[in-house]
Amino acid sequence: MFEVFTDFSDWVTYRLFDLVYGTKLSDAVHFFIEDTSKILFLLVLMIYVIALFRASLNVEKVRYYLAGKKRFFGYGAGSFFGAITPFCSCSSIPIFLGFTSAGIPLGITMAFLITSPLINEVAILLLFSLLGWKFTLMYVAVGMLIGVLSGWFLDSIKAERWLQPLAAKALSHSKSCCKFNPPVTETVDPAITFAQRHHFAKREMVEIVGRVWKWVFLGVGIGAGLHGFVPDGWIEGNLGAGQWWSVPGAVLVGIPLYSNATGVIPIMESLLNNGLPIGTTLAFCMSTVAASIPEFVMLKQVMQWRLLGLLFGLLLIAFTLMGWVFNLPYWQF
C-alpha cells in the first residue's frame, strides 16, 4: 500500500530535484518527502473515517458515565476514553474544568488527561505501519498504564486539595449537589443522518489536519535531519549502549520540546533506525508529548505549584521506569 509514497519520493528527490542518490542530503530529503506525504494521507483518511463514527459522541454522557463508576474501574475507563478521543494538551484546561464540574474525581480526570495526548488513533495507525504491531501494543499499554497508575496515586494522596480555587470550587459544588447523577433534562439524541455525519467528519478532518500539519512537518523534519545527517553509529555510541543514565537523560532532553503523538512518530522511527534502544526512544517521545513545558504552563491556571510539581515528577519517574523496563533484551525486536 505504501509503495506509492516511496515511488513518489524517488521521483521528487532524484528526478525533480536531481539530487545524487546515496548522499546525506538526498537521504534526508527522500525521508522527509516520503514520510510527510504518507502521514498527511493517513491523517486525512483516518480522521475522516473515525469522525464518521464519532459524530454522535456525547461528551456530557462520557462525563457522567465516568463520574458514576467505582474508582479503579473509573481509572481504566478514563484512560480508555483518553486514548480514543482526539484531545491534546491545548484543550487541557476546558476539559479539566468540564470534568471537575461534572463531579468526576481528580484521579479519573488525570487518567484521562494524561492518556489523551499520549495515545490517539492516528498515532496507533502510524506506529503499526512504521514499527509493527508489537511496538504499537506496547505503546498503547504503557500509555494507559501510566494514566491509570497516576490517577490512582493522585486520588490516594487526596491531591484535589492542591487545585486552584476555581477548579476546587467546581469539584466541591458538583460533589455536594449533583451526586454523580445525570441532568434530569437529558433526552435521547435524535438520529443523525449520513449527510450530517459527513459534514461533521469533513469539518473535523479540516480542523484537526489544519492544527497538526505543522507538527507533522516539524517532526518529520527533525527525523529527516537525524536520518540524513547524524553520523552512522553516533546515537548508538552515545545513548544506545545500554547505559542506565541514557533513559533519564532522554526524558530530560524531551521535556523542553513540544509535539503531539502524531508529530513525534517519525522522530521515534528515526531514533530507532539510528540504533537507540526501544526503551530510551519511548521515554524520550513520551516526555516530549505528555510532559512538555507549554502544557504545564496552561495547567498552572487550574493547579497549584505543588500539584504541578507532583504531576511533573510522577511522569518523569514513570517514563524512566518504563524506559528501563523496555530496554531489557526481551523487548529488543
Side-chain angles (χ1 to χ4, degrees):
M1 172 183 178
F2 296 111
E3 289 81 2
V4 63
F5 300 104
T6 302
D7 295 339
F8 174 72
S9 184
D10 288 341
W11 180 81
V12 173
T13 304
Y14 304 121
R15 298 189 61 183
L16 185 62
F17 291 165
D18 197 25
L19 296 178
V20 178
Y21 179 83
T23 65
K24 292 185 178 299
L25 176 61
S26 64
D27 287 347
V29 171
H30 189 278
F31 181 95
F32 179 82
I33 296 173
E34 180 176 0
D35 271 37
T36 300
S37 58
K38 177 166 56 178
I39 289 173
L40 290 178
F41 170 78
L42 292 173
L43 276 174
V44 172
L45 176 64
M46 293 307 300
I47 291 175
Y48 175 82
V49 171
I50 292 172
L52 284 176
F53 294 99
R54 290 186 53 252
S56 7
L57 178 64
N58 189 319
V59 177
E60 294 295 327
K61 289 183 179 179
V62 172
R63 292 177 182 173
Y64 287 106
Y65 178 81
L66 289 176
K69 297 303 176 182
K70 294 182 178 180
R71 291 297 176 90
F72 277 100
F73 182 87
Y75 302 138
S79 184
F80 174 76
F81 282 121
I84 65 173
T85 49
F87 301 120
C88 61
S89 60
C90 60
S91 306
S92 57
I93 294 175
I95 295 173
F96 192 97
L97 289 175
F99 275 48
T100 54
S101 298
I104 296 176
L106 177 66
I108 298 178
T109 301
M110 294 308 300
F112 179 95
L113 291 178
I114 290 172
T115 308
S116 184
L118 281 175
I119 305 171
N120 62 50
E121 62 275 8
V122 179
I124 292 173
L125 179 70
L126 295 178
L127 276 173
F128 179 78
S129 65
L130 296 174
L131 302 174
W133 65 270
K134 289 184 179 180
F135 199 102
T136 304
L137 290 179
M138 180 178 68
Y139 183 88
V140 173
V142 169
M144 294 187 66
L145 180 62
I146 289 174
V148 170
L149 293 180
S150 298
W152 168 79
F153 176 75
L154 291 171
D155 266 350
S156 67
I157 63 171
K158 302 186 183 303
E160 63 268 14
R161 55 187 163 158
W162 298 319
L163 291 171
Q164 293 285 14
L166 176 64
K169 182 178 179 181
L171 180 61
S172 176
H173 176 75
S174 182
K175 282 183 177 180
S176 61
C177 298
C178 300
K179 305 296 183 183
F180 303 131
N181 291 323
V184 295
T185 57
E186 184 181 8
T187 58
V188 178
D189 295 331
I192 299 178
T193 66
F194 180 80
Q196 291 173 315
R197 291 177 183 270
H198 166 73
H199 178 72
F200 171 84
K202 180 181 177 181
R203 183 179 60 198
E204 180 145 312
M205 180 267 293
V206 172
E207 178 184 351
I208 294 178
V209 172
R211 189 169 65 238
V212 306
W213 70 267
K214 55 183 177 294
W215 301 113
V216 173
F217 274 75
L218 177 62
V220 176
I222 295 174
L226 292 172
H227 181 82
F229 294 101
V230 173
D232 294 338
W234 185 90
I235 293 180
E236 182 177 5
N238 288 272
L239 293 175
Q243 306 95 328
W244 69 268
W245 51 263
S246 63
V247 175
V251 171
L252 293 175
V253 169
I255 292 170
L257 305 176
Y258 174 65
S259 180
N260 56 32
T262 303
V264 83
I265 298 303
I267 302 176
M268 181 185 297
E269 180 194 20
S270 183
L271 291 173
L272 289 172
N273 290 337
N274 279 276
L276 201 65
I278 290 176
T280 308
T281 301
L282 191 63
F284 168 79
C285 293
M286 283 189 164
S287 66
T288 301
V289 173
S292 63
I293 292 176
E295 179 177 3
F296 279 85
V297 170
M298 291 186 289
L299 286 176
K300 178 61 178 67
Q301 300 179 53
V302 291
M303 298 181 186
Q304 298 180 22
W305 283 113
R306 186 175 297 182
L307 181 54
L308 274 178
L310 179 63
L311 177 62
F312 187 74
L314 191 64
L315 289 175
L316 296 190
I317 293 172
F319 298 156
T320 300
L321 291 176
M322 292 299 176
W324 282 337
V325 168
F326 288 119
N327 271 350
L328 295 175
Y330 175 79
W331 294 99
Q332 303 307 309
F333 45 80

